[in-house]
Structure formats: structure tokens, C-alpha cells
Amino acid sequence: MTPPDPIALSRRTLVAGAAAMTSAGGAAAAPAAATGTTPSALTLRVNGEDRHLDLDPRTTLLDALREQLHLTGSKKGCDHGQCGACTVMVNGTRIYSCLTLAVMHDGDAVTTIEGLGSPEAMHPMQEAFVRHDGYQCGYCTPGQICASVAMLEEIKAGIPSHVTEDLNAAPALTADEIRERMSGNICRCGAYSNILDAITDVAGRPA
Amino acid sequence: MRPFTYERVRTPSEAAAAAQRPGARFIAGGTNLLDLMKLQIEAPTHLVDVNHLGLDRIEETGEGGLRIGALVRNTDLAADARVRRDYAVLSRALLAGASGQLRNKATTAGNLLQRTRCPYFYDTAQPCNKRQPGSGCAAIGGITRQLAVIGSSDACIATHPSDMAVAMRALDAIVETIDGEGGERRIPIAEFHRLPGDTPHLDTTLRSGEFITAVTLPAPVGGRHFYRKVRDRASYAFALVSVAAIVQPDGSGRVALGGVAHRPWRVEAAEGELPRGARAAMVAILDGARPTHENAFKLRLAERTLAGVLDEARS
Ligand SMILES: Cc1cc2nc3c(=O)[nH]c(=O)nc-3n(C[C@H](O)[C@H](O)[C@H](O)COP(=O)(O)OP(=O)(O)OC[C@H]3O[C@@H](n4cnc5c(N)ncnc54)[C@H](O)[C@@H]3O)c2cc1C
Ligand code: SF4
């Protein structure tokens, strides 16, 4: 079955999201109290730095990163785990930051695209995406890059995939493996072949 | 999302006790619950975070099987060397589901309890007996291509979307639970997911507040393991039809189907037909099917998918 249409869904979510944001803001303490929501205190270690937050428990990790910490590299595409634009690494593992609550990550280490590299000092995967033109509009790119960096670690750790022929052997670094493992990141511009080239370029280099 | 309070618990009995509170729900990976909360299809008033209970281990049982903690992530279960070697159908089913990012978060218990992907269940402007008991079923007479062909009722024709559960049905898994009073149950997977009948809002036989601690697998049964999933795109899509099969050298075996019913579909009595081929077996497995004109293709698709599996098993 296909998941429901993300575009039809996101319109409704916008309303709910806006309501959540109002009650999360400090100035809107009254509506938060009226709805019975008390802010939760938590600490996230984001890109190597401890960040203390007081959040409405409804705040997703993605909204905490974007709206509270102003790390707007992670993108909100569908907000339902169907597109991959919000991919970040938590304790080294890639996840969708839109389908998890910030309060569930008290004490966790989060790496976003901003933590991987900067325009002055790019991560090798960022460089490869530039070199191979692995994007058009660029909206999915931070998610693609975070996902691909963590994905190569998953292959190194021997985690099999749907296309791995022999479950009991180490997975090979083939184009099919990379494509299957990157299927959780959608690119509406269709830059897939250049994305694959960029990842292959990085994967092929001696570690 | 509707407002809720949030609590982290430290032990399974604390979790089961916390769930006694009205409007409470467990949250594990959150990949299904939060999706539905954003749409206000689910609106718990209290969330019990069960991620820190130490239930993330896979241990060997005294009977030669495996005990999988309820919080073991789908990626870790699929990658476990013992699962890959002895229960390959389970690894294959997990790897055919969702995406890498989702499998890293999704848990064993959460996967079993994920809710249907019926498009009308998701559309809060439509009547749906599963979402709102007694409101009617917009799917009946609607677009039914993805919906159930067997075991459905006049109240609901939804399917269960889990791939993992189909493999667990073929493996005769057992779901272990604890309730608020400390009572423990071992529920065979065959009795865990329900048919819709006239109470489609109940997906499983789990009682309110009952907490899943683990899923156990009996000792390995050998044979060749297959999970073949047919879907509209090659990856990151739910099944139209899937076949979990374990085939022995003499041609006997087990088959469970996904994408066809309100629960993983297995008919043990039909498995005697397997040595006679896919057609004979599928006629028996899908006896009593009630497809619509839009989803009748699933019957042929199931047969052909099984035929492909049996061919491969002989090769
Ligand atoms: C875009 C997308 C595509 C997907 N594709 C597939 C697919 O192809 N195949 C597939 O099988 N799945 C697919 N999924 C679904 C995914 O597998 C589920 O969302 C996931 O397995 C749910 O696990 P979780 O731990 O995140 O559950 P949660 O969302 O945390 O919980 C789900 C339910 O289980 C309850 N619960 C959790 N743990 C316990 C416990 N220990 N005891 C009692 N109750 C508990 C919760 O209260 C909740 O009601 C997809 C999901 C998305 C978003
Ligand atoms: S088939 Fe079931 S889930 Fe779908 S609309 Fe009808 S009652 Fe709801």
C-alpha cells in the first residue's frame, strides 16, 4: 500500500503545527497552561554542544532544531516520515527527526548538516555532492547528505539490505545497495543519478 | 497534536502501571503513533516513553529459540547474526519494510501494533469504523485496490500493513506481555491480531494498558526461507501482496500472506497442498475470499508470487 499523499496531509498538519508552536513559545504561556501542557526541560548535545531547552512536549526533534535552535539546515518536507528531508543522526544513527519528540532525546547527541561541515570546511560528502551536482533545488540535500554519511557506516557495520543477496556475507558496496539504502530520501527534482555518483565517489575512497 | 503530558519509565511493571491512567499510551519508536497524533487520529493525553527499559536485547531461550526484547529496533533485529542464519524470513521481511531511517527507530512491539494504511482511516473527513466506531466504512464501495480480499467484514475491509508480522506468523512467534497488576501472558501470534468482525477498532487481542515485553521465536525449523513482497515501487512502499515462506527439501512447508487481510494470513490446514504447487495451495489458502473488482488481482498475484517462491526453492 502507498502511504497517504504527503501533500494533502501537510496542509492539515500546518494548522496543528502552528497551534503547537504558539503554545511552545514563552509569550504564549497562558494557552499552554489552559491546555494543560507544561513545558519539559531537556538537554540535547547538538553538533558537539550542550543545548538546554524548555519545550512543549509536542515539539518534534525537527521543530526543536529549526524553530528553537535555528538550525534550519534540516528541512520539513512532508512531516510524516515519507520524504527524508529531515534526516539527522542521533547517537550516530540516521533517523527522521519529524517522527520523534525532542523530549524523547534528553541527553542524546544529535548531528545535523551544520555539524557535518561548513561552507568553508565541507565534509567529503558535501564536497562530493557539489562536485557531482547531486541536487537541483537543494531542498532534500541536507537530508540526502546526512542519510548517505550514516548509510555508509551501516554498510561498514555489516547491516544487510533488501537487495543483499547473501544474508550471511558482508554487504557489497554496489550501486544497487546504495540505491536501495537511500530509498528513504526522495528527490523531487530527480537528481538521483548524480546523488549516486557523489556517494559512490566518497564510498570508493580509502577510509 | 493535542496536548499531552510525558513520562519516562524505567521498568516494564512501571510502564504497565503508568498505562492505567486514562488516555495514556506507550510510545516506542514513535514512527506510527506520532504520525497519527499529528493528524489527530490518535489523541492520547499522556505518553509513557518505554525506550529506557533495557528491553533492547535478543537472548537465546532454553528451548533453542530467541527472545526478542520489545524495544529491539527493526534494523538490529534484521541484522542479528542468529536471525539472519536461522530465521532469514524474518530478516528479509524487516528489510523489505519502510526505509533505513524508519527501521533504525521502529521497534519490535511498535511494528506489531502499527495501524492500518487504509486511506479512509487516514482521512478524518470520511466515516471509518476503525477510527470512530459506528461511523460507517467509507472504503466499502470506495477505492479498494489496496484493501483486504479475505477475512473482511461488512464493518471493515482494511489490511494489516506490517511485513515483520507476516514472517512472525510463519515462525509461530509468541508475544509476551505484562499488565498493570503484574499479570503475565504469552499470546501465540495466531491469536494476537484480530479479524475485524463488528469491532474493527480493535486490531489485536491486547487488553487496554497491557505492555509487550518480548516476542519469542521457537527453535529454528530449518528449510529455505523466503519473503517476497510485491508493491507499486521497488522500495519504501507497503505491500500489495507479500509471501513469507519456509520450504523444506521434501516440498512441505509454511506460508503466510501479507497485504490480503486484517491480520497476517496463514491457513495451516492448507499447507499440505504445497507439494502439489502454488495453484493448489493458494486455492486452499484463499478459500472464502471476498475480493472487490478492484482488488481481485491480489488472488492471482498471491498465487504467482508463491509460484515464484516455490520455483526458487527447487532451484
Ligand atoms: C513512510 C512510512 C513507510 C512505512 N513502510 C512500511 C512498510 O513497508 N512495511 C512495514 O511493515 N511498516 C512500514 N512502516 C511502518 C513502520 O514499520 C512502523 O511505523 C513501526 O514499525 C512502528 O514502530 P514504533 O516503535 O515506531 O511504534 P510506535 O509508533 O512507538 O507505536 C505504535 C503503537 O504501538 C504501541 N506500543 C509500542 N510499544 C509497545 C509495547 N511495548 N507494548 C504495548 N504497546 C506498545 C504504541 O502505544 C502505539 O499504539 C512505514 C512507516 C512510514 C512512516
Ligand atoms: S476499511 Fe476499515 S479502516 Fe478503512 S474506512 Fe473501512 S472501517 Fe475504516
Side-chain angles (χ1 to χ4, degrees):
Chain A
M1 281 199 198
T2 344
D5 178 3
I7 295 165
L9 293 177
S10 60
R11 235 186 245 137
R12 254 179 271 138
T13 321
L14 210 62
V15 181
M21 258 139 61
T22 328
S23 48
T35 54
T37 305
T38 33
S40 302
L42 66 138
T43 303
L44 298 177
R45 191 161 183 82
V46 183
N47 301 329
E49 223 180 286
D50 278 339
R51 308 295 297 263
H52 306 287
L53 294 164
D54 259 316
L55 294 176
D56 183 312
R58 287 173 289 185
T59 316
T60 61
L61 179 60
L62 176 64
D63 283 343
L65 293 170
R66 289 181 54 86
E67 311 289 339
Q68 310 290 323
L69 300 175
H70 308 293
L71 293 167
T72 52
S74 309
K75 296 292 185 264
K76 186 179 281 193
C78 69
D79 210 22
H80 285 277
Q82 299 176 8
C83 79
C86 68
T87 302
V88 301
M89 286 171 248
V90 172
N91 302 333
T93 300
R94 58 180 177 159
I95 63 163
Y96 296 145
S97 59
C98 78
L99 280 189
T100 192
L101 297 171
V103 286
M104 294 167 70
H105 294 285
D106 187 15
D108 284 350
V110 182
T111 305
T112 67
I113 189 73
E114 290 90 345
L116 278 184
S118 64
E120 297 74 38
M122 284 196 278
H123 184 278
M125 192 64 82
Q126 290 171 314
E127 271 174 11
F129 268 67
V130 172
R131 197 162 51 247
H132 290 277
D133 212 6
Y135 43 77
Q136 282 185 41
C137 80
Y139 197 78
C140 72
T141 314
Q144 298 276 2
I145 291 176
C146 285
S148 53
V149 169
M151 178 275 297
L152 291 180
E153 292 303 314
E154 290 171 6
I155 295 183
K156 265 194 217 149
I159 294 168
S161 87
H162 176 60
V163 300
T164 306
E165 274 191 28
D166 181 357
L167 272 186
N168 296 304
L173 244 174
T174 62
D176 275 353
E177 282 281 2
I178 295 174
R179 279 197 202 97
E180 161 59 25
R181 290 167 191 268
M182 289 298 293
S183 74
N185 291 78
I186 309 289
C187 170
R188 292 205 77 174
C189 304
Y192 296 111
S193 65
N194 292 0
I195 292 171
L196 178 64
D197 289 347
I199 299 173
T200 308
D201 192 344
V202 174
R205 280 192 227 162
Chain B
M1 273 187 246
R2 296 276 173 77
F4 55 82
T5 45
Y6 167 86
E7 169 184 19
R8 264 191 196 191
V9 288
R10 295 284 160 191
T11 64
S13 44
E14 225 178 285
Q20 302 292 89
R21 190 159 151 179
R25 288 292 285 277
F26 303 117
I27 185 159
T31 61
N32 190 230
L33 186 59
L34 289 172
D35 189 11
L36 295 169
M37 284 169 64
K38 288 181 183 193
L39 299 166
Q40 301 191 7
I41 293 167
E42 303 264 22
T45 53
H46 185 61
L47 282 188
V48 181
D49 183 345
V50 296
N51 282 285
H52 306 274
L53 304 183
L55 295 177
D56 52 359
R57 283 182 289 272
I58 306 172
E59 293 157 352
E60 280 150 41
T61 65
E63 293 80 51
L66 288 181
R67 185 166 190 272
I68 305 157
L71 272 292
V72 172
R73 308 288 154 176
N74 287 179
T75 298
D76 298 329
L77 183 54
D80 184 272
R82 295 159 294 186
V83 176
R84 287 196 262 170
R85 188 188 61 220
D86 297 330
Y87 305 96
V89 63
L90 180 56
S91 277
R92 288 290 180 202
L94 285 159
L95 296 170
S99 67
Q101 288 95 319
L102 286 162
R103 293 191 296 271
N104 285 344
K105 207 94 195 42
T107 63
T108 308
N111 192 318
L112 279 180
L113 292 172
Q114 62 176 297
R115 308 218 60 197
T116 186
R117 293 277 160 174
C118 169
Y120 301 98
F121 174 77
Y122 269 82
D123 184 347
T124 49
Q126 300 281 345
C128 167
N129 289 324
K130 190 180 276 300
R131 178 169 25 80
Q132 205 181 343
S135 62
C137 170
I140 295 174
I143 298 164
T144 56
R145 179 172 178 270
Q146 299 166 331
L147 302 179
V149 294
I150 194 160
S152 56
S153 72
D154 292 339
C156 179
I157 57 172
T159 58
H160 195 270
S162 168
D163 291 297
M164 182 194 80
V166 181
M168 285 187 169
R169 181 71 180 85
L171 291 167
D172 288 330
I174 291 170
V175 182
E176 296 185 0
T177 71
I178 179 169
D179 64 25
E181 280 83 52
E184 295 180 10
R185 283 211 292 165
R186 291 168 55 83
I187 311 168
I189 188 95
E191 292 159 26
F192 183 77
H193 292 103
R194 295 178 70 254
L195 289 182
D198 50 15
T199 50
H201 60 290
L202 302 172
D203 293 345
T204 68
T205 52
L206 216 56
R207 297 176 194 137
S208 166
E210 199 172 355
F211 178 71
I212 299 177
T213 50
V215 174
T216 54
L217 302 179
V221 294
R224 291 186 66 183
H225 290 217
F226 301 90
Y227 189 78
R228 219 181 255 208
K229 176 174 176 181
V230 186
R231 41 188 160 172
D232 283 330
R233 61 181 181 197
S235 186
Y236 200 18
F238 288 92
L240 286 167
V241 161
S242 68
V243 171
I246 301 173
V247 185
Q248 302 296 343
D250 64 1
S252 69
R254 306 171 175 198
V255 177
L257 303 180
V260 299
H262 197 257
R263 65 181 185 204
W265 194 255
R266 179 171 172 205
V267 182
E268 279 87 341
E271 288 169 358
E273 298 290 327
L274 272 176
R276 271 193 283 276
R279 169 143 311 170
M282 211 45 90
V283 164
I285 294 169
L286 292 174
D287 184 34
R290 291 201 311 173
T292 67
H293 71 281
E294 276 178 22
N295 65 24
F297 76 93
K298 286 191 178 185
L299 305 181
R300 293 290 293 281
L301 190 56
E303 180 194 318
R304 288 174 184 183
T305 307
L306 179 62
V309 164
L310 295 181
D311 270 354
E312 202 180 325
R314 273 190 295 269
S315 69

